[in-house]
Amino acid sequence: MLNELYHSLNPIAFALGPLQVHWYALAYLAGFVLAGVVAYRVARRWGLDLSAEDVTNVVVGIAWGIIIGARLFYVVFYGDGYYLANPLKVFALGEGGMSFHGGLVGAVVGGAIMCRACHISIATFCDLGVIGAPLGLFFGRCANFVNGELWGKPTSLPWGVVFETGGGVARHPSQLYEAVLEGLVIFAVLLWMSRKRPARPQGTFIGTFLVLYGVFRFLIEFVRVPDAQLGYLLGPITMGQLLSAPLVVAGIVVLVVAHRAQRPQVGHVA
């Protein structure tokens, strides 16, 4: 069924004259908008003094940080020298090549800059931001599936998909595995956690997100084919796993510190 669904899909959502709008671009847009909506609604539930304008300003900073960080990390860690030989290709975003790990770093940096400018607690907005962020991951991975990229290893399972660039064999739709685990599951866990009143202490949500994402991504990499230009780096270990393992460690550290510090969630700071 998934194979038939994939072959019925078009990576181009619609066209306006010569302009073609891809599902991937719409996935990014939907992710940013929904993350902002979730952050605002949770902030209200926690009784924080954050307006819709405050949230929008920080989300815009996060969006720019994600785009820049995701691209730079891909160029540095996944480019394997290609961009050194073709430096102008760094700006060819339409050809693909974005790294989640770079997007995460960029999101923190971009969001922190806007939080400081708006006098908003960086720690609290990190927690607010990651509650809705998995929705962006969900839509992004679904767009990867539509584009027929980042597929998995060959499989005989009934939900295997034959991708045009996958050698004519049925493969794990690893994009959808990630969409469910990194997207829907993490979102459900964090949203459930956010309903507790008073709100859980600062760092609880970003720490939980880092642990869950790192674990899920590490496991899924075992059925996902690594980038062709890199292959496997240490035995069966991929670049994605090397970048995900530190996230688990960092998440555990953040959770321990958050539990000990017990700093309450706040909105604006002096």
Side-chain angles (χ1 to χ4, degrees), residues 4 22 26 40 49-50 54 66 73 83 106 136 139 142 144 163 165-166 185 195 200 225 239-240 242:
E4 288 74 15
H22 290 246
L26 294 179
Y40 177 66
D49 58 337
L50 295 178
D54 290 327
I66 288 175
F73 260 60
Y83 295 99
F139 287 119
C142 287
N144 291 146
F163 297 98
T165 56
V185 172
R195 296 187 178 279
R200 300 172 192 270
V225 174
M239 177 62 78
L242 288 179

Side-chain angles (χ1 to χ4, degrees), residues 98 139 146 189 194 206:
M98 305 289 271
F139 287 119
V146 174
V189 170
S194 74
I206 182 68

Side-chain angles (χ1 to χ4, degrees), residues 4-266:
E4 288 74 15
L5 172 63
Y6 166 73
H7 288 283
S8 70
L9 298 173
N10 188 335
I12 300 173
F14 59 89
L16 297 173
L19 177 64
Q20 294 181 335
V21 179
H22 290 246
W23 285 111
Y24 199 68
L26 294 179
Y28 264 79
L29 178 61
F32 292 139
V33 171
L34 290 177
V37 171
V38 170
Y40 177 66
R41 291 180 65 87
V42 173
R44 291 188 62 184
R45 183 184 306 129
W46 290 353
L48 306 181
D49 58 337
L50 295 178
S51 66
E53 182 180 2
D54 290 327
V55 173
T56 300
N57 288 337
V58 179
V59 169
V60 169
I62 290 173
W64 278 108
I66 288 175
I67 294 171
I68 295 172
R71 184 57 173 174
L72 287 180
F73 260 60
Y74 185 85
V75 169
V76 173
F77 291 102
Y78 293 92
D80 196 31
Y82 172 77
Y83 295 99
L84 287 176
N86 304 275
L88 293 180
K89 288 292 186 178
V90 172
F91 305 99
L93 299 181
E95 298 180 4
M98 305 289 271
S99 162
F100 164 80
H101 303 88
L104 177 61
V105 173
V108 173
V109 173
I113 291 173
M114 290 305 299
C115 281
R116 288 183 64 87
C118 299
H119 303 288
I120 295 171
S121 169
I122 295 174
T124 287
F125 210 95
C126 280
D127 280 343
L128 290 172
V130 296
I131 297 173
L135 293 176
L137 291 174
F138 170 77
F139 287 119
R141 293 310 184 192
C142 287
N144 291 146
F145 176 76
V146 174
N147 289 347
E149 58 193 6
L150 307 182
W151 26 258
K153 296 178 180 178
T155 180
S156 59
L157 293 171
W159 55 81
V161 177
V162 179
F163 297 98
E164 285 86 348
T165 56
V169 298
R171 295 181 175 275
H172 284 285
S174 54
Q175 317 95 323
L176 299 184
Y177 300 168
E178 292 188 75
V180 172
L181 292 176
E182 300 166 9
L184 298 182
V185 172
I186 296 180
F187 173 68
V189 170
L190 295 179
L191 189 65
W192 171 77
M193 290 173 57
S194 74
R195 296 187 178 279
K196 183 178 182 296
R197 294 291 305 273
R200 300 172 192 270
Q202 288 182 341
T204 303
F205 296 88
I206 182 68
T208 302
F209 174 84
L210 291 174
V211 171
L212 291 179
Y213 179 88
V215 169
F216 289 154
R217 177 67 183 271
F218 194 94
L219 294 176
I220 292 172
E221 286 284 320
F222 285 116
V223 297
R224 174 177 161 177
V225 174
D227 293 70
Q229 70 273 23
L230 294 180
Y232 294 97
L233 303 180
L234 298 172
I237 302 301
T238 66
M239 177 62 78
Q241 289 173 317
L242 288 179
L243 294 175
S244 295
L247 295 185
V248 178
V249 176
I252 293 173
V253 171
V254 171
L255 285 173
V256 171
V257 172
H259 178 72
R260 291 179 177 176
Q262 290 292 313
R263 294 191 178 93
Q265 302 287 358
V266 296

